């Protein structure tokens, strides 16, 4: 049985300057006992959804990279622009 999922509404940009509304979904699946638990990552919009099946280690690597990038982006947003004086 799958655990509850996490859904995140976001903007998806492809290889063009336009953006569409989409979502990212994260859930776990332990139905295949031969493979162990897996993390299911899906992202897309109403036209196309891409799924990735990750090991817990792969999922943790992605989570760490996202956390680091979010902290860097947050830090960059809090730096004052010296031209605003």
């Amino acid at each position: 049985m799958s655990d509850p999922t996490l859904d995140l509404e976001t903007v998806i940009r492809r290889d063009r300057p336009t953006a569409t509304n989409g979502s990212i979904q994260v859930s776990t699946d332990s139905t295949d006992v031969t493979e162990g638990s897996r993390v299911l990552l899906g992202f897309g919009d109403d036209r196309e959804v891409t799924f990735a099946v990750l090991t817990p280690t792969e999922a943790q690597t992605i989570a760490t990279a996202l956390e680091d990038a979010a902290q860097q982006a947050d830090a960059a947003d809090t730096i004052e622009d010296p031209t605003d004086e």
Side-chain angles (χ1 to χ4, degrees):
M1 171 156 242
S2 294
D3 292 330
T5 61
L6 166 70
D7 289 321
L8 173 66
E9 297 298 319
T10 187
V11 173
I12 297 175
R13 296 189 190 276
R14 291 191 170 79
D15 293 332
R16 57 183 180 266
T18 60
T20 61
N21 289 329
S23 65
I24 297 172
Q25 184 180 69
V26 179
S27 63
T28 58
D29 183 14
S30 58
T31 57
D32 187 354
V33 292
T34 62
E35 295 294 323
S37 293
R38 295 289 187 230
V39 177
L40 306 176
L41 174 64
F43 52 95
D45 57 17
D46 60 349
R47 295 178 296 149
E48 180 181 14
V49 177
T50 300
F51 291 97
V53 179
L54 307 169
T55 65
T57 302
E58 292 168 333
Q60 186 62 51
T61 300
I62 291 171
T64 301
L66 286 169
E67 181 73 25
D68 291 347
Q71 289 175 358
Q72 290 174 7
D74 189 43
D77 286 344
T78 59
I79 295 174
E80 288 187 32
D81 186 356
T83 60
D84 287 343
E85 296 177 4

